[in-house]
Amino acid sequence: MPDARVQSAIAHWAPRLVSNGVPLADFQEVTAGLERWEDWCRAWSARAAIHEDLGRRSLAKGFRLSAGEHLTRAGVCYHFSKFLFVIDPGQMQAAHRKAVACRDAALPLIDPPGERVLLPYEGRHLAGILRKPAGAARPPVLVMCMGLDSAKEEMDGNESVFLARGMATLTFDGPGQGEGEYEFAIRGDYEAVLKAVLDFVDGRSDLDAARVGVWGVSLGGYYAPRAAAFDKRIKACIALSGPFEWAECFDRLPELTRQAFQARSRSRTPAEARERAAALTLKDVAKHITCPLFVVAGKQDGIVPWQESERLAAAASGPVVRCFLDDGNHVANNRTYRYRLQSADWMAQRLGLTWR
């Protein structure tokens, strides 16, 4: 019998992998050969290594732009190797190290280039990637919040639409995410995390800290509006398929997602994880969101019901754009052409940009 965990991963996440940079043929070939979830990380790491080798070979020949593209794709594939793979921490961490190394190697090669940055946080640091549009002296900034098990290495395609419209992008791994998952547990009061990130932006003379937007995907679609409710330095917010009350979604989540939350929240048992999920709530908070808000949801979402996004939209006090897609899945990754560019145009206008 097929492993239900593998089938669940394919059913829920196929559009996400492809829309975020995994070639369709790679997805089809790798998943077709998988019979057990225990083989997921190994199989995807083997495919990622092919892209990494192409990148290293291109760089050795002096083809820097091609090397950057290959290494970025390798980083994405390595990221999805470790994605939700909490059953084998050693194997997961090895794949994660490769994801970070490949994306870091790509940063000076891509257009526009990126800079690895370390954001001071609670006496230590959160790792991020800062990219600035070519020719911009002090561009506005879009801070990009990751989801439960997404990470900055996955974000190239999302970054590009904002960069093309004149915004700098700052993607970062927060508590329980990517490089932040080893030192920090997930926390519900994400305004404390964004305060540290925005303080970092304030300290950069090459960024316009007076024009900052925030964007969040999946669980980041909770983190971003949560921060916007408290920190008025945020001028506009995009929320993609986030929960209004995470605890109310918890029992219907796929098994792999519940296990990942348990690990990332440092919970000892599923029951403790369910209790900690209650800390992630916008109830009595969303009413304090006064900045413009763009909310995206797919009405076929099998992870976070789209009605959670409607609760956010209805509770916010500022102007709201609802982009609810009847045929969209989680984050509407199967219909990115119906919101990704549109939300980027919207954010550019909110941050005072004009473009061709």
Side-chain angles (χ1 to χ4, degrees):
M1 294 290 293
D3 189 324
R5 297 166 297 175
V6 173
Q7 297 305 308
S8 175
I10 293 171
H12 288 297
W13 304 117
R16 172 178 169 183
L17 270 70
V18 173
S19 67
N20 286 339
V22 172
L24 176 60
D26 281 7
F27 180 83
Q28 293 171 331
E29 291 166 9
V30 172
T31 57
L34 284 174
E35 295 183 355
R36 305 183 311 147
W37 176 247
E38 286 79 4
D39 297 325
W40 178 277
C41 187
R42 188 178 301 108
W44 276 108
S45 292
R47 185 56 58 106
I50 295 173
H51 296 292
E52 181 183 6
D53 182 63
L54 289 169
R56 305 293 182 191
R57 289 173 180 268
S58 293
L59 187 58
K61 295 176 182 178
F63 300 132
R64 293 173 57 84
L65 188 60
S66 294
E69 292 184 15
H70 286 306
L71 289 168
T72 290
R73 189 172 296 113
V76 170
C77 290
Y78 278 124
H79 164 71
F80 283 119
S81 300
K82 61 87 64 178
F83 169 70
L84 299 178
F85 199 77
V86 297
I87 62 169
D88 187 337
Q91 197 179 157
M92 180 197 74
Q93 290 174 25
H96 184 214
R97 287 193 295 270
K98 294 290 285 184
V100 173
C102 285
R103 183 58 170 166
D104 283 355
L107 291 180
L109 309 174
I110 57 179
D111 185 20
E115 172 189 356
R116 178 179 172 84
V117 294
L118 296 176
L119 318 175
Y121 174 73
E122 295 195 342
R124 286 170 282 181
H125 293 89
L126 299 173
I129 294 173
L130 174 64
R131 298 176 70 189
K132 296 179 290 185
R138 292 184 70 246
V141 188
L142 183 72
V143 174
M144 307 185 78
C145 302
M146 305 299 99
L148 171 60
D149 210 21
S150 52
K152 61 190 183 304
E153 289 75 32
E154 184 188 347
M155 290 294 122
D156 185 76
N158 287 291
E159 294 166 356
S160 64
V161 296
F162 297 100
L163 288 162
R165 287 157 178 78
M167 287 162 272
T169 58
L170 176 56
T171 57
F172 72 99
D173 292 334
Q177 302 165 327
E179 293 185 69
E181 69 193 52
Y182 306 113
E183 294 187 287
F184 307 106
I186 284 174
R187 59 188 296 176
D189 58 339
Y190 212 76
E191 61 274 15
V193 181
L194 260 292
K195 180 184 183 303
V197 176
L198 296 179
D199 288 348
F200 170 83
V201 172
D202 283 343
R204 295 278 304 214
S205 61
D206 56 342
L207 301 174
D208 187 350
R211 293 187 292 164
V212 176
V214 65
W215 173 102
V217 60
S218 192
L219 198 54
Y222 159 80
Y223 293 143
R226 172 87 191 196
F230 289 92
D231 201 318
K232 300 309 175 182
R233 289 177 290 182
I234 296 170
K235 299 301 187 290
C237 175
I238 298 171
L240 309 179
S241 293
F244 193 81
E245 292 189 83
W246 186 230
E248 293 192 3
C249 304
F250 195 80
D251 288 335
R252 63 164 286 161
L253 295 171
E255 176 188 359
L256 294 174
T257 303
R258 293 196 307 272
Q259 289 176 349
F261 181 81
Q262 180 177 332
R264 304 286 180 252
S265 63
R266 307 285 177 88
S267 300
R268 291 165 295 181
T269 65
E272 184 178 349
R274 188 180 294 106
E275 290 176 6
R276 292 190 176 183
L280 280 70
T281 179
L282 291 170
K283 187 177 181 181
D284 299 323
V285 171
K287 64 185 179 183
H288 298 297
I289 300 172
T290 55
C291 71
L293 180 64
F294 192 107
V295 186
V296 176
K299 292 189 175 182
Q300 305 306 314
D301 193 331
I303 309 294
V304 177
W306 71 271
Q307 290 90 344
E308 294 288 290
S309 293
E310 173 54 33
R311 293 177 71 187
L312 167 61
S317 296
V320 178
V321 174
R322 292 168 170 84
C323 183
F324 297 164
L325 305 179
D326 290 338
D327 53 356
N329 68 351
H330 186 53
V331 193
N333 278 316
N334 62 332
R335 296 291 184 269
T336 57
Y337 55 85
R338 293 184 58 188
Y339 75 86
R340 191 175 281 184
L341 300 177
Q342 294 85 342
S343 62
D345 289 339
W346 177 90
M347 181 61 75
Q349 289 183 321
R350 304 287 83 73
L351 298 184
L353 290 166
T354 58
W355 68 100
R356 294 192 299 273

